Amino acid sequence: QVQLVESGGGVVQPGRSLRLSCAASGFTFRSYGMQWVRLAPGKGLDCVAIIWYDGSNMYYGDSVKGRFTISRDNSKNMVYLQMNSLRVEDTAVYYCARVIGNNPHWYFDLWGRGTLVTVSS
Amino acid sequence: EIVLTQSPGTLSLSPGERATLSCRASQSVSSTYLAWYQQKPGQAPRLLIYGASSRATGIPDRFSGSGSGTDFTLTISRLEPEDFAVYYCQHYYSLPLTFGQGTKVE
């Protein structure tokens, strides 16, 4: 079954860290770029980070640059998002998505159901 | 950054009616670099349209996309009960990629 399943969300205090995981199955994972996108309460979707199919390059949204790190393990069909120095405004549902296209013309043809991250003291 | 403005915010319709959703970009994204997604509560977003007018795999033909430059439209010809959801547009013309705020079809 072609799917993406996120995990690792939860409640965390401001300034702390959290690591999200996304397990891919049913397709040739190593052939695709992957992305994390978030949906904050009352806001629109926001591209957080993208990683190339081979992990050779990454792109970050301005709001997370320097704090979040995207990585992948093609041997395990996994993509990760390490979130450091979390802020209240990082509270959102985080989705993993499969990337289609060539830099920078990317859209997303497969999404997971998301994992909720709540940053609160 | 290209800002996408979707209208209306909410569209109240009945099954069988036609839905017309608008997405306006703050600058041209050509006729190629626009996608539409559907999201239902608790579910993963689903790609409906890419390249402004191409339907993604498995998407029924009641969904159609049109437009170019800065003005785009998603049309649902006859609403089915399962079509009541939130719809987002996304441009992929340049970085940063951005999404519209969404239109809820209720």
Side-chain angles (χ1 to χ4, degrees):
Chain A
Q1 184 178 4
V2 178
Q3 64 176 2
L4 299 169
V5 179
E6 304 91 338
S7 61
V11 180
V12 61
Q13 292 179 327
R16 303 297 291 265
S17 298
L18 203 61
R19 189 199 198 201
L20 305 182
S21 299
C22 172
S25 59
F27 63 97
T28 307
F29 178 73
R30 63 180 180 273
S31 297
Y32 291 89
M34 298 296 295
Q35 176 181 230
W36 288 97
V37 182
R38 66 186 179 183
L39 182 61
K43 296 191 176 182
L45 291 161
D46 179 30
C47 294
V48 173
I50 296 175
I51 188 165
W52 270 233
Y53 70 99
D54 59 357
S56 63
N57 209 346
M58 289 79 77
Y59 164 81
Y60 295 95
D62 286 344
S63 59
V64 306
K65 207 172 291 185
R67 300 188 298 122
F68 290 12
T69 301
I70 188 171
S71 62
R72 65 189 295 159
D73 185 339
N74 284 350
S75 68
K76 296 181 179 179
N77 290 356
M78 296 289 294
V79 61
Y80 306 100
L81 185 68
Q82 178 66 42
M83 304 185 294
N84 298 333
S85 304
L86 281 161
R87 304 169 180 168
V88 171
E89 55 265 34
D90 294 319
T91 295
V93 177
Y94 285 74
Y95 298 94
C96 174
R98 186 171 74 178
V99 176
I100 298 294
N102 297 302
N103 182 22
H105 307 303
W106 297 307
Y107 62 96
F108 316 108
D109 74 333
L110 178 67
W111 297 62
R113 289 188 174 221
T115 187
L116 175 62
V117 173
T118 302
V119 184
S120 173
S121 55
Chain B
E1 173 175 318
I2 297 175
V3 177
L4 298 179
T5 302
Q6 292 187 242
S7 61
T10 302
L11 198 52
S12 298
L13 295 168
S14 300
E17 290 191 299
R18 182 184 187 89
T20 303
L21 287 67
S22 173
C23 176
R24 178 163 290 178
S26 59
Q27 62 189 78
S28 176
V29 298
S30 91
S31 60
T32 306
Y33 302 121
L34 191 102
W36 290 92
Y37 303 87
Q38 176 195 66
Q39 186 173 29
K40 301 177 185 178
Q43 294 190 19
R46 178 171 71 149
L47 174 68
L48 297 175
I49 300 287
Y50 63 95
S53 61
S54 297
R55 272 188 300 276
T57 302
I59 301 304
D61 60 8
R62 65 180 180 273
F63 291 92
S64 63
S66 63
S68 64
T70 60
D71 291 302
F72 298 87
T73 300
L74 175 70
T75 302
I76 311 171
S77 59
R78 288 184 46 171
L79 281 165
E80 297 288 341
E82 61 267 28
D83 299 336
F84 291 89
V86 179
Y87 293 83
Y88 296 97
C89 57
Q90 177 231 332
H91 87 83
Y92 49 108
Y93 181 73
S94 62
L95 295 175
L97 309 177
T98 57
F99 293 83
Q101 291 292 100
T103 290
K104 182 178 182 180
V105 178
E106 62 175 27

